Amino acid sequence: MSVLSSRTGRDRQRYDNNFRLVSGCIPYRLIKDKKLEEDTSVDFVNKLQVLMVSSPNRHDLVFPKGGWENDETVLEAASREAMEEAGVKGILREVPLGVWEFRSKSSISTNAEDESFGGCKGYMFALEVTEELQEWPERGNRQRKWLNVKEALELCRYEWMQRALEAFLRVMQEEEEGK
């Protein structure tokens, strides 16, 4: 049984103009395989894997993300969500991949005049995974799965997460080309 616990509730949640602020990440790793490293026909993208997690009570996959609370920075929130939801720790890139606006799956607007009701503003970061925990706070509610980028793009539940993954891929390719 895990002694780690997740933060719950929204009483410390940050908001910006009625948008709930969310922070998350795309956990990734480079495949360490001697054959792949030596094979020049295998491009960089095919050496990358990203980690996705299932949503509670659903079978689809998402990247770890959640509310950014008033006692933490956006980077601390992204790292916390990765540990709570996916059981991973690592090196978080400090420059966000981008900021996306989306509607929370848990909100159903009854006020048509308030377009931002249930709206979220999500900051996403790249997280190079250095540690996979065997026990983590949401292990009982979530499955984690390592995927190649192509598989992840096909399985992304939300369009905004696909766009975040595309931004991640651009950043990683630019970094690789700069080496």
Side-chain angles (χ1 to χ4, degrees):
M1 182 147 145
S2 177
V3 294
L4 301 171
S5 63
S6 292
R7 289 186 172 200
T8 57
R10 294 192 176 165
D11 42 325
R12 294 188 300 203
Q13 181 65 64
R14 287 182 189 240
Y15 288 85
D16 178 20
N17 292 325
N18 294 325
F19 284 92
R20 184 168 79 97
L21 297 181
V22 169
S23 185
C25 64
I26 297 177
Y28 73 94
R29 67 183 177 192
L30 284 172
I31 299 170
K32 304 269 194 253
D33 183 324
K34 202 75 158 151
K35 290 178 190 172
L36 278 180
E37 288 175 18
E38 295 169 358
D39 187 348
T40 56
S41 69
V42 177
D43 67 347
F44 175 72
V45 173
N46 290 317
K47 296 177 185 177
L48 272 176
Q49 287 186 322
V50 295
L51 183 65
M52 298 185 80
V53 295
S54 61
S55 297
N57 304 315
R58 298 179 66 109
H59 296 291
D60 51 7
L61 299 172
V62 296
F63 293 111
K65 57 128 186 73
W68 170 14
E69 297 185 358
N70 60 17
D71 64 341
E72 61 189 352
T73 67
V74 68
L75 296 169
E76 290 169 337
S79 293
R80 176 180 51 77
E81 290 295 337
M83 190 278 298
E84 288 179 357
E85 294 187 359
V88 293
K89 295 180 179 183
I91 302 165
L92 193 68
R93 293 173 152 273
E94 293 188 11
V95 177
L97 298 167
V99 181
W100 289 269
E101 290 182 4
F102 57 94
R103 292 186 81 56
S104 169
K105 73 177 192 305
S106 62
S107 68
I108 299 171
S109 179
T110 56
N111 183 356
E113 293 174 15
D114 186 1
E115 299 240 339
S116 65
F117 181 81
C120 296
K121 189 182 290 186
Y123 294 75
M124 294 294 286
F125 299 87
L127 176 80
E128 182 180 2
V129 174
T130 58
E131 183 179 0
E132 268 186 81
L133 305 173
Q134 295 306 308
E135 296 290 330
W136 67 94
E138 297 184 22
R139 181 175 180 222
N141 294 333
R142 297 186 185 269
Q143 302 286 319
R144 59 184 175 193
K145 186 170 187 174
W146 286 101
L147 302 161
N148 67 42
V149 174
K150 183 181 177 190
E151 292 169 322
L153 276 168
E154 292 171 4
L155 293 172
C156 274
R157 177 174 167 194
Y158 302 110
E159 182 184 341
W160 75 269
M161 281 194 178
Q162 289 174 333
R163 291 194 315 266
L165 184 55
E166 289 164 354
F168 163 80
L169 194 52
R170 276 192 304 278
V171 167
M172 298 305 290
Q173 285 176 317
E174 288 170 5
E175 182 179 285
E176 180 65 15
E177 289 168 5
K179 287 183 178 178

